[in-house]
Amino acid sequence: AREGARGIRLRRGGRGFLGGAGLSAVVVDDPHGSWGGPETPAACNLSRLRERWRVVRAVVLERGPERAALHARLAGARSWLDLTFHLCRGRDAVDVVARLLWNERGARLKLQFPVGAAAADFDVPGATVRRAPCGEVPGGRWVRVHDGRGRPVLGFASDALYAFDLTRGALRATVARASGYAFAGPPALAEHRPAADCGELRFRFLLTAGDSRLPFQAQELEQPPTVLLVAPKAGLWP
């Protein structure tokens, strides 16, 4: 990552893992209310670009033999997203801790992963569904993206993001909206009225090659081990 860039480039096995600018963040117009828009092409594929965020900070936090960490901030005029990337020895995945400060109106923030996507498998309740390039769709804990030959090229899992679209060869994950509360739209949301999702939002996600381990990695992310501090006492082990 470098300051001023439009995205964060990732490499796996010495080769670029994502195309284009890499992992990036875009803000698109979302004039619809709390329940979304009507069943029209414009409402089902929110791609009218309002802002493309840039990297304004990139700092290496850790350089250890077991783990490395990079902190990067993507920012626009009114909001920003802090991402801390963790790479662990022996783990074929990038783990990311995210913190968003969101202050928008009538907009939607999306993370963008350009991978030349031709189709994607979405985790849904009790099943998996494969979708061709499409507009706004719901998803579950993970998404596996395939190229034109049907090979997996990206695995994405999160503990908080469940809305996606597959547009122009890129997987995009919705992070936050800024519609009015109990608001039907499409009139502009007045500045004195509160907007949903505004403020601080935290979530985690991971990126992998999308192999058979993805569902298990998603479960680990959503249900991490619970750690308890207890008083010392004698046990069965030395």
Side-chain angles (χ1 to χ4, degrees):
R2 60 179 178 83
E3 294 184 10
R6 288 187 173 182
I8 299 165
R9 296 185 181 276
L10 304 175
R11 298 180 69 84
R12 177 176 180 265
R15 302 178 61 183
F17 185 54
L18 299 175
L23 189 164
S24 61
V26 295
V27 178
V28 298
D29 286 341
D30 186 357
H32 310 291
S34 305
W35 299 276
E39 294 296 325
T40 63
C44 293
N45 189 357
L46 301 175
S47 297
R48 183 176 178 181
L49 185 66
R50 176 182 296 190
E51 199 173 39
R52 190 184 301 276
W53 288 3
R54 291 186 178 271
V55 178
V56 298
R57 181 187 302 164
V59 181
V60 175
L61 302 180
E62 301 175 13
R63 292 181 182 270
E66 297 295 328
R67 189 173 80 166
L70 170 72
H71 173 265
R73 172 172 288 184
L74 294 161
R78 296 161 52 116
S79 308
W80 65 86
L81 175 66
D82 286 335
L83 300 174
T84 303
F85 297 82
H86 295 284
L87 283 175
C88 297
R89 184 169 67 88
R91 177 171 169 79
D92 189 18
V94 179
D95 299 289
V96 187
V97 178
R99 174 176 175 264
L100 170 67
L101 268 296
W102 181 239
N103 181 31
E104 307 293 336
R105 293 290 188 276
R108 181 180 295 222
L109 175 66
K110 295 187 177 189
L111 289 177
Q112 191 163 261
F113 309 96
V115 286
D121 297 332
F122 293 82
D123 175 49
V124 296
T128 301
V129 61
R130 177 165 295 189
R131 296 184 174 115
C134 53
E136 311 301 322
V137 294
R141 294 171 297 177
W142 56 265
V143 182
R144 179 185 290 113
V145 182
H146 300 271
D147 64 12
R149 297 181 180 180
R151 300 174 300 187
V153 291
L154 173 68
F156 173 89
S158 171
D159 65 348
L161 308 185
Y162 306 107
F164 305 93
D165 72 88
L166 204 62
T167 305
R168 300 186 184 94
L171 173 71
R172 301 194 299 182
T174 291
V175 177
R177 299 183 65 204
S179 64
Y181 289 94
F183 177 75
L189 183 61
E191 287 289 335
H192 68 278
R193 296 180 62 89
D197 287 348
C198 281
E200 181 184 51
L201 302 170
R202 294 175 179 264
F203 61 98
R204 296 181 300 153
F205 66 93
L206 61 83
L207 301 174
T208 74
D211 58 25
S212 60
R213 294 172 293 178
L214 180 59
F216 179 74
Q217 291 167 326
Q219 188 174 10
E220 282 184 319
L221 179 63
E222 192 174 63
Q223 301 177 15
T226 300
V227 179
L228 300 177
L229 294 176
V230 299
K233 61 182 180 180
L236 298 177
W237 293 356

